[in-house]
Amino acid sequence: MENHAQLKKNIGFFVSTSLVVGTVIGSGIFMKPGVVLSSTGDSTLALLAWLIGGIITLASGLTIAEVSVKIPRTGGLFAYLEEVYGKLWGFLCGWVQTLVYGPALMGALGLYFGVLAANFFGFSESRSTLIGIIAVVFLGIINLLGTQYGGFIQALSTVAKLIPVILIAVFGIAQGEVTIFNMDSGAAGTINMGAAILATLWAYDGWMNVGFIAGEMKNPAKTLPRAIIGGILIVMIAYLSINIAMLHVLPASEIVKLGPNAANEAATILFGGLGGKLIAIGILISIFGCLNGKILTFPRIPFAMAESGLFPGAKSLSQVHPKFKTPVNATVFQLALTVLFMLTGNADRLSNIAIFTVFLFYGLAFYAVFLLRKKDNGNYQGYKVPFYPITPIIAIIGAVYIVGSTLISSPVDSLFSIGIVLIGVPVYMIIKKNNDKLNSVKLEA
């Protein structure tokens, strides 16, 4: 708690909302329209999936906003679960974020970047994985040299990522001539709304990261819920607009066929060859910046756990580089896992694993609002989730639906993630036992 007291409380509403928008808008809106259309088989159902994904995210944000106000600690999801459910659940959350969620998420971003970069420069598709790995390693080195370099890339990419979103949305809706609704995607197979909504939630994911800096906000009780809600609403409008625009420019079947390159093609139709290339560069910068943000932040999870002695190899993972003042071993550890994921899975599969894993813990965080309400006995007078208990119930149902549908559609990947969670239980017990012994020896000395 002493470390939290030393943090400067200088972050306001605008910066907080920008962080939500900046961390959410990355690769998903450019990579997932084809996946959503393929899963739904129809443009209207695809737009419905994006809307449902947004509603689940908004209900989640409204619910977590109350939890975050009652637990205004830096640390986000990890801090909420530890406070409400105890240290074991906090550990399991950090354990899974370190071993599965973070590496799978960064791996997917790296692979998406590789596919688009290979297409942009005219390289063969077989080189896309290598390009993605080079991007991950390059950004890892940059962030190891000092957070100021990673921060510069983040600031530049946040501005750049909004340019293609706004231009494609505005000009696509204004100039497109293709019929938007009830258009067949041309994809064979049965309708799978679960897979479609899961794909949209990859695009919406990242909004909870603003909770990592709650301890540095001027007035977290007011700023945090407003930033989460305002940021999610902005993202929802942007996502629906760009999907409508792309469907207005390209037939649904063409979007499915083009896959990750659909946004590039839409930009080329709208703005010509040169304009399309400039938009493609903007998209690449967007994904590059999103990947940079994850590489900058995710190693801090095992580093923080190691500093508390709550991770295997804590002594090594808690080391800070003497010159660059960065968590060198924790970063290298995360990068190694990321490259391993990239070599063993495709981008869409990794993104599904990441979302499934984090929603296992999101559900617990949503339910926490009921436990906190019971605890304060109606005496709490701050922000309260609107339409209680309907809103948190929607968030919980959404989490259960995503976990359940993924278990059915991708049982192997789902069981892999659950297996990592279960392995964490005995690991925690062993670490706790060793720490208790060490503390006992110190007391006796």
Side-chain angles (χ1 to χ4, degrees):
M1 295 301 290
E2 290 178 4
N3 287 337
H4 296 165
Q6 294 170 3
L7 294 170
K8 290 183 180 179
K9 294 182 177 291
N10 57 1
I11 296 176
F13 168 73
F14 180 76
V15 173
S16 302
T17 305
S18 299
L19 280 169
V20 174
V21 176
T23 53
V24 172
I25 296 177
S27 69
I29 187 54
F30 306 117
M31 301 295 100
K32 293 298 186 180
V35 176
V36 176
L37 278 165
S38 178
S39 298
T40 57
D42 173 82
S43 61
T44 302
L45 286 177
L47 290 172
L48 180 62
W50 283 99
L51 180 62
I52 292 171
I55 290 170
I56 290 172
T57 305
L58 185 58
S60 303
L62 290 166
T63 302
I64 288 297
E66 181 172 331
V67 176
S68 66
V69 168
K70 291 178 176 177
I71 309 173
R73 287 173 49 191
T74 294
L77 186 61
F78 169 87
Y80 306 149
L81 296 186
E82 185 179 72
E83 185 82 20
V84 176
Y85 298 103
K87 289 190 178 294
L88 171 61
W89 285 102
F91 168 83
L92 290 176
C93 178
W95 167 261
V96 171
Q97 283 182 311
T98 298
L99 296 183
V100 183
Y101 176 62
L105 192 153
M106 291 186 288
L109 286 169
L111 290 173
Y112 285 136
F113 178 83
V115 168
L116 290 186
N119 179 67
F120 183 81
F121 291 106
F123 297 137
S124 67
E125 194 175 322
S126 61
R127 294 187 181 182
S128 62
T129 299
L130 177 60
I131 294 169
I133 290 172
I134 290 171
V136 167
V137 173
F138 171 76
L139 286 173
I141 294 170
I142 292 295
N143 280 283
L144 281 174
L145 293 176
T147 55
Q148 69 271 26
Y149 301 113
F152 172 76
I153 292 173
Q154 200 61 30
L156 178 68
S157 65
T158 297
V159 176
K161 73 175 60 182
L162 294 177
I163 295 172
V165 172
I166 293 169
L167 289 178
I168 292 174
V170 171
F171 285 89
I173 292 172
Q175 298 181 7
E177 297 177 348
V178 180
T179 303
I180 297 170
F181 299 103
N182 299 317
M183 298 307 293
D184 191 275
S185 70
T190 57
I191 293 173
N192 189 341
M193 282 298 285
I197 295 168
L198 183 70
T200 70
L201 290 173
W202 160 263
Y204 283 112
D205 189 46
W207 56 271
M208 199 183 282
N209 288 2
V210 73
F212 292 155
I213 55 161
E216 298 162 76
M217 290 181 180
K218 294 174 184 176
N219 186 350
K222 288 186 177 180
T223 303
L224 192 54
R226 289 175 180 173
I228 290 173
I229 296 161
I232 291 172
L233 284 172
I234 290 170
V235 171
M236 276 184 70
I237 293 168
Y239 283 5
L240 286 169
S241 298
I242 201 168
N243 270 279
I244 290 170
M246 286 179 64
L247 286 166
H248 207 22
V249 173
L250 291 167
S253 57
E254 192 68 15
I255 294 174
V256 172
K257 191 183 298 181
L258 288 165
N261 297 307
N264 288 5
E265 182 64 23
T268 302
I269 292 171
L270 289 170
F271 308 110
L274 178 61
K277 285 192 177 297
L278 290 174
I279 295 296
I281 291 170
I283 294 170
L284 281 168
I285 293 173
S286 171
I287 298 174
F288 195 69
C290 188
L291 176 59
N292 174 75
K294 308 305 182 189
I295 291 174
L296 175 66
T297 55
F298 274 120
R300 268 66 183 174
I301 298 171
F303 173 75
M305 293 177 73
E307 273 198 317
S308 303
L310 284 174
F311 207 88
K315 187 176 180 182
S316 175
L317 290 176
S318 61
Q319 285 184 4
V320 175
H321 193 281
K323 181 180 179 181
F324 304 125
K325 307 299 181 186
T326 52
V328 56
N329 289 344
T331 301
V332 170
F333 175 59
Q334 286 281 268
L335 292 177
L337 287 175
T338 298
V339 171
L340 181 63
F341 271 70
M342 293 174 75
L343 291 171
T344 56
N346 64 57
D348 287 331
R349 183 182 179 189
L350 291 183
S351 67
N352 288 347
I353 289 172
I355 296 304
F356 171 81
T357 303
V358 80
F359 262 85
L360 289 172
F361 292 93
Y362 276 0
L364 287 172
F366 302 150
Y367 184 68
V369 75
F370 294 100
L371 300 178
L372 291 170
R373 286 269 184 122
K374 187 177 180 182
K375 186 177 179 181
D376 64 39
N377 268 333
N379 296 320
Y380 171 72
Q381 298 300 316
Y383 167 86
K384 293 182 179 180
V385 56
F387 310 113
Y388 179 90
I390 296 171
T391 302
I393 288 173
I394 290 172
I396 292 168
I397 290 172
V400 171
Y401 177 68
I402 291 305
V403 170
S405 63
T406 310
L407 269 168
I408 294 168
S409 61
S410 305
V412 175
D413 293 338
S414 302
L415 291 173
F416 166 76
S417 299
I418 293 170
I420 297 295
V421 176
L422 295 176
I423 290 170
V425 176
V427 171
Y428 173 79
M429 298 301 181
I430 293 169
I431 292 173
K432 186 176 182 299
K433 186 178 179 181
N434 290 339
N435 288 346
D436 289 344
K437 275 185 182 179
L438 190 63
N439 292 332
S440 178
V441 169
K442 287 180 179 178
L443 287 172
E444 287 175 5

